[in-house]
Amino acid sequence: MRTWLKLVAWAAGILGAIALVLYIFVFDVWTIPSDDPMESASIEPTLSAGDVVLVSRHTTVTRGNLLRCPDPQAPGRFVVARAVASSGDHLEIREEVVTIDGKRLPSPRACDTPMLVIHDPRTDSDVNLHCSVEDYGDRDFWTMRADDHPEPPTKALVEPGRWFLVSDDHHVHVDSRDFGQIDVSTCLHIVYRIEGRAGMGDEKKRLSIIW
């Protein structure tokens, strides 16, 4: 019995040491704040306010990565949006659909739940948004757009050394349409959700890869 206890203790110690090294050198654990209604709406449907996520301390940004970046408009806070267009890309968002260099790169398909309801803090009302899955290479993620009353069109030529970020919620957004193109050298890649606001008991919001 004592031998088994020693083995369990050694295993726990080793796993704890590995977790500590990963935490110090590779990942950071971050709880998404819930005190900004616009930011909370903009990160849906991929994430939700209160989610506990892992962010990579060492990030090489590629198209499609979901990033946590310092908020250009509010020092000390963060924004979460997806890296969509890089240096030299001609980006257009029309009817809340993104195209790059005149091509719609993703091949969207309907989400498991085709329509989602999101609260829009700008009007203090709920809006029905169409949900679709977008693909970038070997990664895919859910995005939302409004069928009625979409946001005005946006066109941009991405400057050298900059990225254009787009919220997964294309309708209620906090992204480069609001704060401009950014240098992503200070951004971190969100890679994993540990649990949602409701804790580990929420199966849909725990232990999931986040691109």
Side-chain angles (χ1 to χ4, degrees), residues 28 30-33 35-36 39-40 42-43 55 67-81 174 179 186-188 190:
D28 187 18
W30 182 54
T31 301
I32 300 174
D35 58 350
D36 185 340
E39 182 66 23
S40 297
S42 73
I43 62 177
V55 293
L67 303 179
R68 185 194 76 175
C69 305
D71 189 337
Q73 299 175 319
R77 297 187 64 90
F78 297 103
V79 295
V80 174
V174 180
F179 50 71
T186 57
C187 299
L188 298 179
I190 298 176

Side-chain angles (χ1 to χ4, degrees), residues 126-142:
D126 291 340
V127 291
N128 294 313
L129 300 181
H130 178 80
C131 182
S132 62
V133 181
E134 296 190 352
D135 304 296
Y136 283 88
D138 58 353
R139 59 177 62 96
D140 59 64
F141 48 89
W142 289 17

